[in-house]
Amino acid sequence: MKLIEVKDLEKVYQDGEVKTPALQGVSFGIEKGEFVAIMGPSGSGKSTLLHILGFLDHSTKGEYRFEGKTINDYSKNELAQIRNKKMGFVFQMFNLLSRTTVLENVKLPLIYSDIKESLWNEISLKAIEQVGLSHRVNYETSQLSGGEKQRVAIARALVNEPSIIFADEPTGNLDSKSGGQIMEIIEALNDKGQTIILITHETYTAEYSQRIIKLRDGAIESDERVLERKHTHKDHFVK
């Protein structure tokens, strides 16, 4: 069974009489442990597809199965639980609480979990260590660089040991050095078996993945394996 199966997915936004198609006949599957990049120019449907895959939005037509079940098989509460427990999200804008420490930010998803509170610090510290930020645990996120903030966001996405991580333009607000460090962490996570879906418009970033799905005007233009993957210098991240 594939982790994700999408068949003939369509999404149409309607404003009065005006209908705007965002996705048209999109079909693909993703295996557990794959690292897939979804590429395309602005307006190609990348963000819409991410929102549907992350149970943040519904398709207009077609079928989306996550771990063998469709979105209609779950109640709203169950969908919220899946988003919190089985899906990790990393966004371009970091979405951190600025006057709160690194540790408190990373612990946030655990508040909505069924994990004992006595274990929260241990779990969060392990995730922070995985992204190389143990020396910043008690810093407020406002004191961090952009690259460090994105590492905090990745640690936060890891604490519930999700089935999949969605990374939406994770290097978009970073310089090339910091962006490379973020891709190093994401690549190392995938090497350990983590399923990754990377949303990007940059070919350079997409080539770290195993497979690139290109969207144009809401449809799949190509779906190909990456023959010559870029590799970072793995050293101190993700133990």
Side-chain angles (χ1 to χ4, degrees):
M1 181 183 69
K2 288 182 169 62
L3 181 63
I4 280 177
E5 291 181 277
V6 170
K7 187 174 182 181
D8 297 327
L9 213 62
E10 293 185 16
K11 179 66 177 180
V12 178
Y13 292 105
Q14 188 157 357
D15 183 7
E17 297 295 314
V18 180
K19 293 184 177 181
T20 305
L23 294 174
Q24 306 178 69
V26 172
S27 299
F28 61 86
I30 293 176
E31 302 282 353
K32 184 173 175 57
E34 268 199 282
F35 183 175
V36 179
I38 297 176
M39 271 194 77
S42 179
S44 61
K46 301 188 305 295
S47 294
T48 299
L49 181 56
L50 171 70
H51 289 159
I52 292 171
L53 296 180
F55 287 158
L56 300 169
D57 197 3
H58 289 70
S59 61
T60 306
K61 289 183 182 178
E63 185 176 80
Y64 166 37
R65 289 185 174 272
F66 178 77
E67 295 185 336
K69 293 184 178 182
T70 71
I71 193 168
N72 296 323
D73 293 329
Y74 301 105
S75 68
K76 285 187 177 180
N77 285 341
E78 286 173 331
L79 289 176
Q81 286 291 313
I82 289 171
R83 278 196 299 269
N84 187 54
K85 289 182 177 180
K86 296 192 174 184
M87 297 177 172
F89 295 90
V90 180
F91 298 102
Q92 181 177 349
M93 300 303 292
F94 318 133
N95 292 351
L96 302 176
L97 303 176
S98 60
R99 294 184 180 178
T100 309
T101 66
V102 168
L103 180 60
E104 292 299 323
N105 269 277
V106 173
K107 275 200 291 190
L108 202 58
L110 297 174
I111 295 170
Y112 306 100
S113 74
D114 52 12
I115 296 170
K116 290 181 181 178
E117 189 173 353
S118 59
L119 297 175
W120 291 359
N121 275 8
E122 179 186 342
I123 293 168
S124 299
L125 290 170
K126 180 182 176 184
I128 291 167
E129 181 184 3
Q130 282 186 284
V131 300
L133 276 185
S134 294
H135 60 300
R136 294 281 194 260
V137 168
N138 295 314
Y139 279 58
E140 290 189 358
T141 55
S142 57
Q143 297 174 285
L144 304 181
S145 68
E148 288 173 331
K149 287 177 181 177
Q150 194 60 292
R151 288 198 231 168
V152 175
I154 293 172
R156 183 183 58 192
L158 289 173
V159 286
N160 276 326
E161 298 185 346
S163 301
I164 189 166
I165 289 179
F166 295 102
D168 187 8
E169 302 278 5
T171 63
N173 279 338
L174 305 177
D175 59 47
S176 57
K177 181 180 178 181
S178 297
Q181 290 175 337
I182 294 305
M183 291 312 302
E184 177 178 353
I185 293 169
I186 291 173
E187 181 187 26
L189 288 170
N190 177 245
D191 287 345
K192 290 189 69 180
Q194 180 70 61
T195 309
I196 309 281
I197 293 184
L198 171 72
I199 305 294
T200 184
H201 66 277
E202 299 172 330
T203 301
Y204 179 84
T205 305
E207 286 175 349
Y208 283 99
S209 70
Q210 299 163 333
R211 174 181 164 203
I212 299 175
I213 297 173
K214 290 185 179 177
L215 293 180
R216 183 171 295 277
D217 298 329
I220 292 180
E221 186 177 55
S222 62
D223 182 350
E224 298 175 343
R225 307 295 297 179
V226 177
L227 299 179
E228 293 186 28
R229 292 178 68 191
K230 292 190 184 299
H231 291 284
T232 52
H233 299 291
K234 302 181 188 70
D235 47 24
H236 53 289
F237 294 123
V238 186
K239 294 171 179 149

